[in-house]
């Protein structure tokens, strides 16, 4: 009887182990920009399938390091790798979601979107050339507004960041001085004398909320989550626009995704009257010949489910889901390169 009991327990444990193996959590790491979206997708996906997502929101540079070290099944970055880097690493890359980076401030007495700024003036603020909120250039853009005689404290990312890459890409596109002296990158030397760094979108949002007179940049989901005050931004057509899913979608409307290897296009300063000037995609990195093919297959199942079922959730957070025509191309042109 004892032998029968032990055999039964062993079979039960073996069955449980097999079940857990099939329901192993997916591992990923990288960009903080899409983290609110991935967290929401992951919660719904686990309820439906029993498979969880263990995603480390550590910044794009961290995600690239993790996937290159093969400690996760996918990396996430808002600063896409070049075709040469992808080929060297043996990886493929595809966009997962579209959103926008937004200038946010801590100024008493102003509502979100009440104040306006142009790209060149924003660059001068980040260069440290405009140091007061009542500077004549800001006053000229906001007639009838009483701007405070208050110092501007620049808040930036302290970690390697795809959000920073896109932010500095934008500043480079609107300011020759920024392009020549600072340039674009996941990490740059910030020139403004009065500045403070924060880790992740979370850290920048926290510092802007904490420091009076602060000016920072975060993904729009963090603006909504923290009830932050944002600036309207002048776009390439000369129109002042506010950030939301409609203005992000307008910027992405004419994107030619397969014009560059790895689909790593830039959408900053996109043409269009309704386009948000700092719109961007967040990208997924995977190995074409993964060491753990079962885990890689689970990643594709997750994003396939998200592309089909996650559109409403994306819109709720003011991200822009990829259109069905594009996700079909990703399946046929990109996922087909990944060995099963």
């Amino acid at each position: 009887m004892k032998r029968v009991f032990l055999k039964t327990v062993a079979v039960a444990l073996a069955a449980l182990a097999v079940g857990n193996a099939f329901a192993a959590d997916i591992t990923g790491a990288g960009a903080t920009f899409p983290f609110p979206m991935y967290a929401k997708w992951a919660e719904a996906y686990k309820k439906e399938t029993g498979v969880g997502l263990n995603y480390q929101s550590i910044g794009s540079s961290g995600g690239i390091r993790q996937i290159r070290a093969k400690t996760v099944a996918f990396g996430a970055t808002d600063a896409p790798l070049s075709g040469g880097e992808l080929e060297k690493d043996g990886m493929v890359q595809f966009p997962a979601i579209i959103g926008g980076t937004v200038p946010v401030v801590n100024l008493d007495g102003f509502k979100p979107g009440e104040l306006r700024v142009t790209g060149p003036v924003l660059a001068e603020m980040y260069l440290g050339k405009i140091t007061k909120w009542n500077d004549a250039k800001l006053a000229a853009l906001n007639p009838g507004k009483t701007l405070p005689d208050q110092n501007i404290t620049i808040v930036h990312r302290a970690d390697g960041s795809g959000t920073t890459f896109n932010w500095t890409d934008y500043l480079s596109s609107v300011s020759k001085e920024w392009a020549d002296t600072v340039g674009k990158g996941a990490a740059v030397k910030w020139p403004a004398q009065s500045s403070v760094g924060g880790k992740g979108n979370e850290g920048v949002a926290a510092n802007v909320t904490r420091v009076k007179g602060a000016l920072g940049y975060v993904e729009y989901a963090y603006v909504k989550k923290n009830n932050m005050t944002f600036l309207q931004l002048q776009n390439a057509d000369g129109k002042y626009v506010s950030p939301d899913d409609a203005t992000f979608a307008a910027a992405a409307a004419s994107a030619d995704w397969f014009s560059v290897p790895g689909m790593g296009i830039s959408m900053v300063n996109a043409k269009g009257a309704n386009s948000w000037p700092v719109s961007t995609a967040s990208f997924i990195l995977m190995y074409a010949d993964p060491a753990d093919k079962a885990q890689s297959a689970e990643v594709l199942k997750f994003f396939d489910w998200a592309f089909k079922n996650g559109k409403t959730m994306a819109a709720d957070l003011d991200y822009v889901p990829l259109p069905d025509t594009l996700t079909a191309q990703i399946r046929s042109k990109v996922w087909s390169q990944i060995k099963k």
Side-chain angles (χ1 to χ4, degrees):
M1 178 66 73
K2 186 175 181 181
R3 286 181 180 176
V4 172
F5 173 75
L6 290 174
K7 185 177 180 181
T8 302
V9 171
V11 170
L13 287 173
L16 182 61
V18 170
N20 285 340
F22 280 109
D25 284 355
I26 301 162
T27 58
T32 64
F33 179 98
F35 174 65
M37 184 68 271
Y38 294 166
K40 195 166 187 177
W41 280 347
E43 182 182 7
Y45 187 70
K46 185 161 188 175
K47 285 181 181 177
E48 187 168 317
T49 67
V51 177
L53 170 62
N54 178 16
Y55 181 78
Q56 303 168 51
S57 178
I58 58 173
S60 294
S61 295
I64 293 169
R65 285 194 300 270
Q66 290 271 33
I67 188 65
R68 282 177 171 161
K70 301 183 179 180
T71 58
V72 292
F74 73 90
T77 177
D78 306 325
L81 295 187
S82 67
E85 290 174 298
L86 292 170
E87 186 175 356
K88 180 182 176 182
D89 290 327
M91 289 193 285
V92 300
Q93 177 176 262
F94 60 91
I97 200 73
I98 294 165
T101 306
V102 180
V104 287
V105 302
N106 184 340
L107 286 177
D108 292 336
F110 293 98
K111 298 175 183 177
E114 187 175 349
L115 295 180
R116 295 175 163 185
V117 70
T118 65
V121 168
L122 190 63
E124 287 194 51
M125 296 167 82
Y126 266 84
L127 284 165
K129 298 182 74 173
I130 294 176
T131 61
K132 292 273 192 178
W133 279 106
N134 63 348
D135 185 274
K137 290 184 179 180
L138 285 168
L141 296 175
N142 295 279
K145 307 292 183 185
T146 303
L147 298 173
D149 181 13
Q150 189 171 24
N151 290 331
I152 298 170
T153 298
I154 294 297
V155 183
H156 57 80
R157 288 286 286 273
D159 52 336
S161 159
T163 306
T164 293
F165 177 87
N166 287 292
W167 187 248
T168 56
D169 185 16
Y170 170 69
L171 294 179
S172 294
S173 75
V174 295
S175 166
K176 186 177 186 302
E177 183 176 0
W178 182 277
D180 291 344
T181 61
V182 182
K184 64 180 179 180
V188 299
K189 185 175 181 180
W190 298 96
Q193 188 172 1
S194 180
S195 64
V196 60
K199 189 173 182 180
N201 273 275
E202 302 93 336
V204 173
N207 278 336
V208 171
T209 302
R210 177 179 61 83
V211 179
K212 294 293 185 182
L215 166 67
Y217 58 95
V218 294
E219 196 282 321
Y220 187 54
Y222 294 85
V223 178
K224 294 184 70 178
K225 179 181 178 181
N226 296 287
N227 296 314
M228 304 185 78
T229 300
F230 61 82
L231 301 178
Q232 277 201 341
L233 194 51
Q234 189 182 55
N235 64 22
D237 282 27
K239 306 293 185 182
Y240 286 97
V241 290
S242 292
D244 58 31
D245 54 347
T247 54
F248 305 152
S254 59
D256 186 359
W257 291 99
F258 292 96
S259 61
V260 297
M263 307 178 70
I265 63 168
S266 171
M267 289 187 287
V268 302
N269 226 24
K271 295 289 186 181
N274 296 317
S275 294
W276 179 253
V278 205
S279 298
T280 183
S282 194
F283 297 85
I284 300 299
L285 295 167
M286 297 179 67
Y287 281 99
D289 188 4
D292 188 338
K293 291 181 172 55
Q295 176 82 171
S296 181
E298 289 298 327
V299 173
L300 296 183
K301 286 180 184 177
F302 172 76
F303 282 106
D304 184 64
W305 177 92
F307 288 162
K308 292 174 180 175
N309 303 284
K311 290 184 174 62
T312 300
M313 287 178 270
D316 288 344
L317 289 174
D318 282 278
Y319 290 92
V320 178
L322 304 184
D324 290 340
T325 51
L326 179 57
T327 57
Q329 288 178 309
I330 290 171
R331 291 184 186 94
S332 65
K333 294 184 179 182
V334 182
W335 292 359
S336 60
Q337 300 176 48
I338 300 174
K339 292 183 180 180
K340 307 296 190 289

